[in-house]
Amino acid sequence: MNLSEKRLFLLDMDGTLYLGDRLLPGAREFLDWVPRRGGRYYYLTNNSSRGADAYVARMAKLGLPAAKEDFLTSADAAVDYLQTHKTPQDVYYACGTESFKAQL
């Protein structure tokens, strides 16, 4: 597989880019390389207990580039589903953290 031909990268974070509070070898170089090649990446997480703002702060502590729009969370997926499959008249109940409910 020739990565230089790829334009979009979907990246897990913990265990892929960092482990705990330690940046994994090559992570920073890869994240610098992608936009130089005309590519784009998104950080993915299935952890809905934190919003994108918390992840931006976490990445900043690790010295990694990140903006709110760089993240796709499970809460984003839930919002997309509700917007495309439900109507404003439908009733649903959100059970989760305050951050999760705020994202919805």
Side-chain angles (χ1 to χ4, degrees):
M1 174 190 322
N2 186 352
L3 286 182
S4 64
E5 296 174 0
K6 308 302 179 202
R7 294 290 175 250
L8 179 62
F9 297 87
L10 304 176
L11 307 171
D12 186 31
M13 294 179 287
D14 196 9
T16 303
L17 297 173
Y18 57 82
L19 193 54
D21 291 329
R22 187 174 55 88
L23 195 58
L24 292 175
R28 184 182 327 277
E29 293 80 6
F30 176 77
L31 294 175
D32 290 341
W33 175 83
V34 171
R36 281 198 322 264
R37 301 287 301 165
R40 173 84 165 100
Y41 55 82
Y42 288 98
Y43 299 115
L44 304 180
T45 181
N46 62 355
N47 184 347
S48 63
S49 66
R50 298 182 205 163
D53 290 335
Y55 286 110
V56 169
R58 175 143 176 81
M59 299 307 244
K61 282 175 103 174
L62 292 166
L64 295 177
K68 195 173 178 177
E69 53 276 356
D70 294 332
F71 293 85
L72 297 173
T73 68
S74 53
D76 294 325
V79 167
D80 182 66
Y81 175 83
L82 292 171
Q83 289 176 333
T84 57
H85 292 87
K86 302 296 179 189
T87 69
Q89 293 76 32
D90 290 332
V91 176
Y92 58 93
Y93 298 92
C95 298
T97 64
E98 291 304 315
S99 175
F100 173 71
K101 291 188 277 185
Q103 291 174 73
L104 291 179

